[in-house]
Amino acid sequence: MASFAIKVIRHALAGVSVISPEAAGRLAFKLFSVTPGRKPKSAKERAALAAAVPVIAKGKPVTLSYAGGWVMARHFTSPRNAANAKRVLLVHGWGSRSDYLAAMIEGMVAGGAEVVTLDWPGHGASPGRTLTMPAAVRAIDAAWRHFGGFDVSVGHSFGGASLACAAGGVVCDVPSHVAKKLVLIGAPSEMTWLFKGFGKVLRLSSKTQRAFEAVVERLSGRRLEDFDAAKILEVRAVPTLIIHAEDDKEVSAEHARRYAAAGPNVELHWANGYGHRRIVSAVPVIDRINAFVHGEDRKAAAAMRLEKSAVHLGSRT
């Protein structure tokens, strides 16, 4: 049953639509882009934020500017401080913040990676109360320019889709940024379903729905249909690990299957039982990501050890 607020918004948009479907569409997009409040909504969330404080404090804060705003990043160096440490861009989902990825930050840094996190506009330590996919792509571009690129990009939910869209260069005035590897966790595979779902909830007329979706093209220079992360992976062919839970109630497992069908460059790993949110702090998930991030290096190191062992044995015979 729809809430009272939803019913009021439906009536208001319907009234505006009678006069101007375009104005109603623009208003719907503004509502669509408003981010949730930053205050934790439960004791569990408060506890998670408190536990994240010592982890987040280890990251160096970096302000990243882009056309239209700025975001807060944090830079976590590898404890080994190795020159060849993998540099990872790690981004959270809608309504979240980097603090909720504390377990993953800690696990990846301990695994030997240099990690950079972003708080999206309207989230965490970044300013604002709205977020759009074009703004997220611009924030990724700002991080890319400041840090000189990334070996691996890891994103949860909206963050994963944003990384794929950044790789696809779907914002016309922003260059594509393709990491050597991608990890997408509980991520939607395309944006159209979100817009259709939002329009259905608000009972937008067909004309208002078209106007609502058309705002994306005005902001990015691309149609809504172009924000298709699965098709981007098919074209870019970047090695990608998809991690999803079949019990995810926020982003259907069908999105993971759609990613997996993109090509042989995509590997699907089911993390069933962790849902949509607990998945980012699950130890088996973090271990799987570390294995993917460092897989080639570890294989090469193992081969080198075997080679040295063979040489040593040969010298004794």
Side-chain angles (χ1 to χ4, degrees):
M1 185 175 180
S3 68
F4 177 73
I6 291 294
K7 291 178 180 179
V8 170
I9 292 171
R10 285 173 179 169
H11 286 298
L13 287 172
V16 175
S17 183
V18 172
I19 302 170
S20 172
E22 289 73 22
R26 291 194 298 271
L27 180 56
F29 188 86
K30 287 183 178 179
L31 294 170
F32 180 74
S33 305
V34 173
T35 55
R38 291 173 172 81
K39 291 183 178 180
K41 300 175 181 62
S42 66
K44 189 175 181 180
E45 289 185 3
R46 286 193 293 273
L49 289 179
V53 169
V55 177
I56 298 301
K58 296 176 184 177
K60 178 184 177 182
V62 180
T63 300
L64 301 175
S65 298
Y66 64 93
W70 64 271
V71 291
M72 177 61 72
R74 286 192 178 270
H75 184 201
F76 301 83
T77 57
S78 167
R80 302 167 193 174
N81 205 23
N84 62 345
K86 291 288 190 293
R87 182 179 295 151
V88 177
L89 177 61
L90 176 62
V91 292
H92 62 80
W94 183 275
S96 185
R97 57 192 298 165
S98 297
D99 305 57
Y100 289 123
L101 300 177
M104 189 168 289
I105 294 168
E106 202 166 33
M108 295 187 74
V109 169
E114 171 191 352
V115 177
V116 174
T117 63
L118 293 181
D119 277 345
W120 295 126
H123 293 74
S126 296
R129 280 304 311 275
T130 62
L131 174 62
T132 65
M133 181 64 78
V137 170
R138 294 184 194 284
I140 292 168
D141 175 60
W144 211 275
R145 287 184 282 107
H146 182 89
F147 290 98
F150 297 92
D151 297 297
V152 186
S153 292
V154 181
H156 176 232
S157 195
F158 173 88
S162 299
L163 292 172
C165 288
V170 294
V171 177
C172 66
D173 59 338
V174 179
S176 63
H177 294 302
V178 188
K180 296 174 185 176
K181 294 181 178 180
L182 275 173
V183 181
L184 311 183
I185 309 163
S189 63
E190 48 93 14
M191 293 294 103
T192 301
W193 76 282
L194 282 172
F195 280 73
K196 299 299 184 188
F198 189 77
K200 186 176 181 179
V201 168
L202 295 186
R203 297 179 182 173
L204 301 181
S205 68
S206 58
K207 289 183 178 179
T208 299
Q209 181 71 30
R210 287 195 295 272
F212 167 46
E213 296 178 8
V215 178
V216 174
E217 187 168 358
R218 289 199 292 274
L219 290 176
S220 67
R222 298 285 189 270
R223 298 174 305 159
L224 176 62
E225 292 78 12
D226 294 328
F227 288 80
D228 190 317
K231 288 184 179 178
I232 289 169
L233 293 188
E234 182 179 356
V235 172
R236 294 296 181 184
V238 58
T240 303
L241 174 63
I242 301 297
I243 300 179
H244 214 108
E246 288 179 295
D247 55 313
D248 190 325
K249 295 179 180 179
E250 296 185 40
V251 179
S252 166
E254 289 306 310
H255 287 278
R257 297 186 179 97
R258 189 167 180 268
Y259 275 124
N265 55 301
V266 181
E267 177 183 352
L268 174 58
H269 175 77
W270 292 116
N272 294 337
Y274 293 114
H276 186 70
R277 299 186 182 275
R278 290 183 297 118
I279 196 169
V280 297
S281 56
V283 172
V285 170
I286 296 169
D287 288 345
R288 184 65 189 85
I289 293 172
N290 275 334
F292 180 74
V293 169
H294 303 288
E296 294 175 3
D297 292 346
R298 288 172 181 170
K299 287 179 183 177
M304 186 175 295
R305 285 194 297 272
L306 285 173
E307 184 178 344
K308 287 181 178 179
S309 177
V311 170
H312 180 66
L313 288 172
S315 67
R316 294 178 60 185
T317 58

